[in-house]
Amino acid sequence: SALRNNTTLTWLHMAQNRVGLDGVRALCEVLRGHGQLEVLILSENKVGSHGARLLSQTLMRNSPLRRLVLGDNDVRDEG
């Protein structure tokens, strides 16, 4: 709920938090209405290719995003 209520968030660093696919789904729900995020760091979270696709679809609507870090998340070409 903290993320949902923070409309001025521009930088979110969540590396090594075991986010996984369920966490990505929840994060996407929050980010759908958030138009200020410029940097999102999700390294080492087991996001996977499906999670990367969900993020991509959600963040394409977030025009200010300048940097997305998804290193060490087992994302393949389809992601």
Side-chain angles (χ1 to χ4, degrees):
S1 82
L3 287 177
R4 190 177 315 269
N5 296 328
N6 187 334
T7 59
T8 60
L9 183 71
T10 60
W11 183 288
L12 182 59
H13 190 292
M14 293 182 60
Q16 299 177 334
N17 276 289
R18 300 180 189 170
V19 171
L21 183 55
D22 288 338
V24 167
R25 285 185 181 123
L27 183 59
C28 286
E29 283 294 317
V30 170
L31 293 177
R32 276 194 186 102
H34 196 287
Q36 301 299 318
L37 194 65
E38 295 177 8
V39 178
L40 177 58
I41 301 172
L42 288 173
S43 304
E44 300 178 50
N45 274 299
K46 301 182 189 230
V47 168
S49 294
H50 184 68
R53 279 193 308 272
L54 289 174
L55 277 170
S56 172
Q57 292 166 356
T58 300
L59 294 173
M60 283 193 319
R61 297 178 191 104
N62 190 326
S63 59
L65 191 73
R66 295 180 294 132
R67 185 171 180 206
L68 174 63
V69 180
L70 285 175
D72 294 324
N73 272 296
D74 197 29
V75 176
R76 306 282 183 221
D77 289 341
E78 65 273 10

